[in-house]
Amino acid sequence: LLRAGWPAAAARGAPLLDPLCGSGTLVIEAALIAAGLAPGLRREYFGFLGWRGHDAALWSRIVSEARDAAAAVRAACDGGAPRLRGTDRDAAVLRIATANAQRAGVADWVCFEALPVADVRPGDATPGLIVANPPYGERLGDDAAACAVHRELGLVLREHFAGWQAAILSGLPAATRELQLRVKRSHALWNGPI
């Protein structure tokens, strides 16, 4: 999300869509960034709180500043949440995504919808950012199935998302080529051993 320029896009009020959102990780992370919620802000306990030499007053001030910053971002939105959407064909996994968004405190900032990739549309005239981590044969399916999903995603993006930017994570170069999209830049990332 950072390499895709999401913080600046969120500040402009750009929409975000993950057409293969699964449990909602990218959409929820995008909402946390858009909402100005510092990582772990809702967490009650950290192991370092018991460390000798821990500066409790400093920690309290940092947490208070982070909460104030998040409140300011939410107030600036004037009750209108950013347009952050996730779609997936599996309604059961979307229930998990919704529960994850509630736990993260951003349920009012996101929308999840059961749709196959072929039926995903912008839903907004304003171009935004598409993020996706499609299956690429490691956890789900095989290489041929991964290539088919990438091919379908690329077709939908080319036909319906002109003007949008896309950031696609993939661990299978052959599948990435199936997107048939012009690549502005490419980054090597590690997802565990992948």
Side-chain angles (χ1 to χ4, degrees):
L1 290 166
L2 296 179
R3 287 203 178 181
W6 174 242
R12 290 190 312 272
L16 177 130
L17 169 66
D18 182 348
L20 297 156
C21 73
S23 61
T25 302
L26 292 174
V27 176
I28 292 166
E29 287 289 334
L32 290 168
I33 291 168
L37 289 170
L41 185 60
R42 296 171 50 93
R43 201 168 147 181
E44 305 233 352
Y45 179 77
F46 293 88
F48 63 78
L49 296 175
W51 288 357
R52 195 176 4 212
H54 168 66
D55 188 337
L58 174 61
W59 176 246
S60 179
R61 191 180 88 239
I62 290 169
V63 170
S64 179
E65 288 171 2
R67 287 189 175 131
D68 290 347
V73 169
R74 286 182 178 252
C77 287
D78 197 31
R83 300 159 303 204
L84 305 167
R85 293 174 49 221
T87 64
D88 200 285
R89 66 182 178 166
D90 185 348
V93 79
L94 292 176
R95 286 190 289 278
I96 294 169
T98 300
N100 289 342
Q102 289 169 340
R103 274 192 303 282
V106 294
D108 55 336
W109 286 57
V110 302
C111 173
F112 295 109
E113 184 179 8
L115 280 176
V117 172
D119 294 341
V120 174
R121 300 296 181 268
D124 194 313
T126 307
L129 177 63
I130 293 169
V131 294
N133 185 8
Y136 42 85
E138 286 293 323
R139 293 182 304 117
L140 306 170
D142 57 18
D143 289 1
C147 286
V149 170
H150 282 71
R151 189 176 312 112
E152 185 176 36
L153 176 60
L155 179 64
V156 168
L157 296 181
R158 289 189 310 276
E159 288 186 359
H160 303 288
F161 289 87
W164 285 61
Q165 297 293 313
I168 312 295
L169 295 173
S170 184
L172 186 63
T176 305
R177 287 189 292 277
E178 293 292 334
L179 290 167
Q180 297 181 15
L181 296 171
R182 184 176 59 87
V183 176
K184 185 175 177 181
R185 63 181 183 258
S186 178
H187 300 281
L189 303 172
W190 287 94
N191 181 9
I194 302 169

